[in-house]
Amino acid sequence: MSRNIQLLVIDPQNDFCDLPAAWQPTDPTTGARTAPSLPVAGAHADMQRVAAFIRDHATQLDAITVTLDSHQRIDIAHPGFWQQADGRAVGPFTPITAAQVRAGAFAPRNPAHLPRTLAYLDALEARGRYTLMVWPVHCEIGSWGHGVHADVLAACGEWQLQRQRAVHNVFKGTNPWTEHYSAIEAEVVDADDPDTALNTRLLAALDTADLLLIAGEASSHCVRATTEHIVQHLPRLKKTGARPEHIVLLTDCMSPVGGFEAEHQAFLDTMRAQGARLENSSQISL
């Protein structure tokens, strides 16, 4: 009996890749080179290994799911949403807490957004997973940075033609009022937006896998959050209490955001302890 083998590639997007200059296009409106806005050290090589893995195992991969971080310019985790007490801009990589907002250190640029912003920060902090981080504008919908790394895109295209089936794309992050690291569920669900709620359709699709391979960026954030939610919510695991022994993290196909190496290691250690496998993409036997 054949096994159902699936590959989940999390956010393999240009903005997250430390692409060399030759891989960066020229902006026709400015003439300037378009550089990734949130490059993760090692991500370009990670994605080349993902592409090679897809090509090497195309006949064995029954499904490929690619998630796409997808944001607006105005987003609660982008600089343009915020200002400091004196009206100055808030720079990327600034953490913001509800207490700081209540003290007046930071505020939404639109005063009308203050009540909803505080409600979000309170809910986020009550969950205990993350503090709000202001990131550089990244993966803006429709931009080059939102697009998939060229080698991964080409490999997925070849796989589609060879297997005569489509890649399943999952968009996350379109709601500007909540962070959405995980492809399974936003950090704080917006009751008026079903796209932020538990993605039962994706969970059902992944639940059919006898072997679920996971790669992508970044291991400290979106890969970590998505994998944690899969282990928490995958129906077969939730129903039986089984260990996620059929989940494999391709550790040479993911890297952490700089400064978050400890979170990367803690994630891998936790997954290993829970029963997931950690493998090198060039050495794994399917």
Side-chain angles (χ1 to χ4, degrees), residues 13-24 34-49 144 149 217 255-256:
Q13 293 161 274
N14 290 321
D15 266 345
F16 294 135
C17 295
D18 54 341
L19 298 171
W23 287 63
Q24 300 173 17
T34 302
S37 64
L38 188 48
V40 173
H44 175 54
D46 293 342
M47 293 305 100
Q48 290 181 306
R49 284 187 284 270
W144 168 82
H149 181 281
E217 305 301 341
S255 296

Side-chain angles (χ1 to χ4, degrees), residues 107-118:
R109 287 191 175 276
N110 185 339
H113 290 165
L114 180 59
R116 186 169 184 177
T117 298
L118 282 172

Side-chain angles (χ1 to χ4, degrees), residues 59-120:
T59 60
Q60 297 163 287
L61 295 175
D62 297 294
I64 297 177
T65 299
V66 174
T67 73
L68 296 167
D69 214 28
S70 305
H71 297 300
Q72 308 285 349
R73 178 64 59 97
I74 284 295
D75 184 288
I76 200 166
H78 282 169
F81 184 92
W82 293 97
Q83 64 182 3
Q84 298 185 54
D86 58 5
R88 288 183 299 157
V90 173
F93 304 104
T94 301
I96 295 179
T97 66
Q100 289 174 310
V101 174
R102 287 192 168 92
F106 301 105
R109 287 191 175 276
N110 185 339
H113 290 165
L114 180 59
R116 186 169 184 177
T117 298
L118 282 172
Y120 172 75

Side-chain angles (χ1 to χ4, degrees), residues 227-228 231-232 242-245 268-276:
T227 305
E228 288 174 345
V231 171
Q232 180 182 355
R243 288 162 62 83
E245 295 174 347
L268 296 183
D269 291 345
T270 298
M271 288 300 110
R272 183 188 292 110
Q274 290 183 355

